Amino acid sequence: MSAIPVIVGMSGGVDSSVAAWLLLQHGYDVQGLFMSNWDEDEDGYCTAAEDYQDARSVCERLDVPLHKVSFAGEYRERVFAYFLDEYRAGRTPNPDVLCNREIKFGVCFDYARRLGAEWVATGHYARVEHGPTPRLLRGVDAGKDQSYFLHAMPSQALARTLFPIGSLQKAEVRRMARELALPVFDKKDSTGICFIGERPFEEFLAHYLPAQPGAIESAEGRRVGEHRGLMYYTLGQRQGLRIGGRHDASEDAWYVAGKDLQRNVLVVVQGHDHPALFSRGLTASQLTWVSGAAPAADFRATAKVRYRQPDQPCLVRVLTSGRCTVEFDSPQRAVTPGQYVVFYRDEECLGGGVIEASHGQPQPL
RNA sequence: UGGGGCGUCGCCAAGUGGUAAGGCAGCGGGUUUUGAUCCCGCCAUUCGGAGGUUCGAAUCCUUCCGCCCCAG
């Protein structure tokens, strides 16, 4: 009786390393797969080379083979192109949700299956409940739960996916890595866009899109500064506005409340909790449901409008053509077009969609 | 070149004889698989310049420079 073959997506980080080890413990026939999906690295921010070395060291330590593959072309076409399109349209995309759907659990998943994997595993903090229709559950570590990013992954992939560390706390994973003497036990958690990494964002965007400087205006229409290009700002943002003290304003910090694309004007208000920053609801499109089918009727749920946000109780009204509206029990801050709204019922992630517009501002601009 | 007012960190702004608040911005770090938010830290030996009075001045005096009002 041969062991069940599983391929683990290895990033060279702690989580996927421990995930691989756990699978070994459970008797699987484990192989690693490292992806490098970002080619154009001129500025030295890309850590792919080091990450690959780390993945290799770990696999050596665990005595499992490591495959290496690049889906740079697919990444560029299916994720990055969309990323740039959204910024061009003045919105704020979330490329990592797409990356999971199209790359990790899309082309890479298929690739792993072609390599003979019965199962595909990653080091995500989330859980799958396998059954006739698999369910996606939050990771047990509430602080690390990554189901938000996974909500749009194809259900056929979910049915063949394992998240070995999904029921562990991050601290436990670290501790295991240390006890196992995995070379990456102390490696810092990665951040920034997946496969691209952390970098000076404005500089990065400027590399790909032309910037059009313009005026920054208060909600009342006073010119209070100059922006370097609407794409560099997102709703609710404080940093980078460069608006100093004014004799005609309070001492509160300024935040982005809106973008007027027609006039190329950035609209700002003062105070983190300014009413103009809040909305009662939103409209979302491109809905995907983990179950594979849209709910038949309106339903109550909780939702996140951004990663790591506490769950917000709401009413979801399902519309036709993959759209819905969401009404929150309490107003939400900086509901941002281009970001994803993701629905939950208790521990279960139901699905989500792209925010098209917010509505019901208690105090319109 | 008449009268009045003002010049304190990039910006706003306390401080009117006792040895430079605070906020905003900026920068650095932390949190974070998007972008943000948030948290922590740094940020004027110096108060438009030069003299003077005083044990001691950003605060008083003199003068110069620069702004802003009012000049009917």
Side-chain angles (χ1 to χ4, degrees):
Chain A
M1 192 83 172
S2 56
I4 300 169
V6 56
I7 284 184
V8 189
M10 305 282 286
S11 67
V14 184
D15 298 331
S16 54
S17 300
V18 170
W21 180 77
L22 285 170
L23 290 167
L24 284 173
Q25 295 311 296
H26 285 268
Y28 286 95
D29 168 18
V30 178
Q31 299 188 31
L33 175 57
F34 180 88
M35 274 189 292
S36 63
N37 298 328
W38 190 247
D39 280 346
E40 42 193 281
D41 188 22
E42 337 73 10
D43 18 24
Y45 287 109
C46 196
T47 58
E50 304 159 34
D51 291 337
Y52 177 59
Q53 287 312 316
D54 287 336
R56 287 199 52 168
S57 314
V58 170
C59 286
E60 243 170 69
R61 178 84 182 72
L62 298 178
D63 194 27
V64 302
L66 178 65
H67 302 271
K68 186 182 182 187
V69 66
S70 171
F71 292 110
E74 289 85 347
Y75 185 85
R76 171 161 296 285
E77 287 169 23
R78 304 193 195 182
V79 179
F80 202 63
Y82 151 88
F83 171 83
L84 294 180
D85 283 346
E86 287 288 277
Y87 271 112
R88 259 186 220 106
R91 315 207 321 168
T92 308
N94 184 331
D96 288 354
V97 168
L98 260 192
C99 176
N100 281 324
R101 189 181 81 197
E102 300 294 327
I103 307 299
K104 289 179 181 170
F105 297 100
V107 290
C108 185
F109 176 89
D110 294 340
Y111 180 78
R113 293 280 281 168
R114 283 203 301 279
L115 285 179
E118 193 75 24
W119 296 89
V120 172
T122 67
H124 281 104
Y125 286 88
R127 291 170 292 160
V128 197
E129 192 178 279
H130 291 289
T133 57
R135 301 202 309 157
L136 177 62
L137 307 179
R138 306 175 197 267
V140 165
D141 186 334
K144 294 295 294 186
D145 169 43
Q146 291 171 315
S147 57
Y148 178 89
F149 289 107
L150 298 168
H151 80 272
M153 65 182 281
S155 37
Q156 65 271 23
L158 187 63
R160 288 275 113 189
T161 293
L162 301 172
F163 296 129
I165 63 166
S167 39
L168 298 178
Q169 296 289 324
K170 177 77 190 198
E172 296 178 67
V173 173
R174 281 266 181 219
R175 184 174 50 70
M176 294 170 81
R178 178 185 294 270
E179 285 170 2
L180 292 164
L182 295 181
V184 294
F185 78 90
D186 211 15
K187 190 172 175 180
K188 191 183 184 302
D189 288 5
S190 64
T191 57
I193 300 172
C194 216
F195 297 117
I196 297 181
E198 191 99 68
R199 21 183 116 210
F201 203 73
E202 203 170 306
E203 191 181 300
F204 178 67
L205 266 189
H207 216 75
Y208 297 94
L209 298 173
Q212 183 63 246
I216 299 181
E217 292 181 2
S218 68
E220 300 75 39
R222 270 179 304 165
R223 187 192 176 96
V224 294
E226 184 173 343
H227 72 251
R228 284 150 281 157
L230 250 26
M231 65 181 175
Y232 296 137
Y233 309 84
T234 190
L235 300 189
Q237 179 172 337
R238 168 180 180 168
Q239 294 296 309
L241 294 177
R242 302 186 184 176
I243 303 173
R246 298 174 57 86
H247 54 77
D248 61 355
S250 76
E251 291 190 328
D252 293 328
W254 297 82
Y255 293 85
V256 175
K259 296 183 182 187
D260 185 336
L261 271 66
Q262 295 304 311
R263 300 172 53 228
N264 192 32
V265 165
L266 190 68
V267 181
V268 295
V269 295
Q270 278 186 287
H272 180 272
D273 295 321
H274 186 106
L277 257 15
F278 287 79
S279 37
R280 289 223 90 89
L282 59 82
T283 302
S285 68
Q286 301 174 54
L287 292 173
T288 55
W289 303 98
V290 175
S291 71
D298 301 345
F299 64 98
R300 282 196 59 82
T302 63
K304 293 183 196 297
V305 147
R306 54 171 51 71
Y307 179 53
R308 280 171 63 79
Q309 174 194 30
D311 283 63
Q312 302 300 321
C314 61
L315 172 64
V316 183
R317 296 184 193 281
V318 181
L319 310 174
T320 56
S321 62
R323 302 170 64 85
C324 76
T325 62
V326 180
E327 294 166 25
F328 294 104
D329 289 8
S330 53
Q332 297 301 303
R333 183 176 184 279
V335 173
T336 307
Q339 291 287 294
Y340 288 84
V341 57
V342 177
F343 307 113
Y344 293 84
R345 179 173 293 125
D346 302 318
E347 288 300 288
E348 183 176 8
C349 177
L350 304 173
V354 181
I355 298 170
E356 293 298 332
S358 64
H359 50 242
Q361 275 173 347
Q363 187 180 299
L365 288 178

